[in-house]
Amino acid sequence: MYIGGMSNNYTIPIGNINRVTPANTDNSVDSSAKIKGVTECATCENRMYVDGSNESDVSFKAPGHISPEQSYGKVLSHEQEHVSNAIAEGNKPDKQLISATVSLKMATCPECGRRYVAGGVTKTTMKYTESSPYEKGRKLIEGSFFKGMNIDKAI
């Protein structure tokens, strides 16, 4: 089929697929380009993910492998575990969860060129009420640092 002088010899990549597979006129893939299963390069095969936080109830405390195709979903799911922990912590008395943000870091494999999620970071902000010992300690320390820093002296 020809449209605007272009032939239908290639399958157009859809979504996240970054390669074009040659096709015959009967829409079957050329045997020379047939992919019998996506194989990972040595770099992707040996890439390990491990959680660096102090939360013991999240996944990837022990190093684990994730394929580049699954990295987005699994890393995002792992970061959601941190958000769930922050929500539970924010529901405790004397605490309030102000915000929780998730950032994912993308990378490209130097060997095969595939894009993958290299890791993630969850940042949370908590507000402690006056009766919290943490808040009292923070105010005591900050008060000692700021004491005498600003002097309004009339001459």
Side-chain angles (χ1 to χ4, degrees):
M1 176 177 169
Y2 289 93
I3 299 175
M6 299 180 71
S7 67
N8 191 13
N9 289 336
Y10 291 95
T11 305
I12 298 172
I14 298 173
N16 223 0
I17 302 170
N18 60 359
R19 59 184 171 274
V20 177
T21 306
N24 293 326
T25 54
D26 62 349
N27 272 347
S28 64
V29 176
D30 286 341
S31 60
S32 62
K34 195 175 282 186
I35 300 172
K36 297 192 189 246
V38 178
T39 58
E40 292 182 350
C41 68
T43 304
C44 289
E45 191 173 320
N46 294 323
R47 185 176 302 113
M48 300 298 253
Y49 290 77
V50 65
D51 178 60
S53 73
N54 60 357
E55 294 182 63
S56 60
D57 62 341
V58 295
S59 58
F60 293 104
K61 285 318 242 181
H65 171 71
I66 303 175
S67 69
E69 295 81 18
Q70 295 177 342
S71 63
Y72 176 80
K74 290 201 176 192
V75 172
L76 187 60
S77 175
H78 168 81
E79 295 303 323
Q80 184 59 42
E81 293 174 29
H82 289 296
V83 172
S84 297
N85 287 345
I87 291 170
E89 187 73 18
N91 287 332
K92 289 182 178 177
D94 301 330
K95 291 184 182 178
Q96 179 184 2
L97 177 65
I98 301 298
S99 69
T101 59
V102 173
S103 300
L104 298 179
K105 179 182 174 188
M106 299 295 294
T108 303
C109 177
E111 188 176 342
C112 66
R114 282 194 280 186
R115 299 275 294 157
Y116 64 96
V117 176
V121 175
T122 300
K123 293 183 180 180
T124 59
T125 304
M126 292 281 184
K127 179 180 179 183
Y128 298 95
T129 60
E130 227 13 79
S131 61
S132 167
Y134 299 109
E135 186 67 17
K136 287 179 183 177
R138 182 186 66 82
K139 286 189 176 187
L140 182 67
I141 291 171
E142 283 182 359
S144 65
F145 285 132
F146 295 127
K147 200 177 283 182
M149 288 183 76
N150 299 318
I151 300 174
D152 189 10
K153 185 176 179 183
I155 299 180

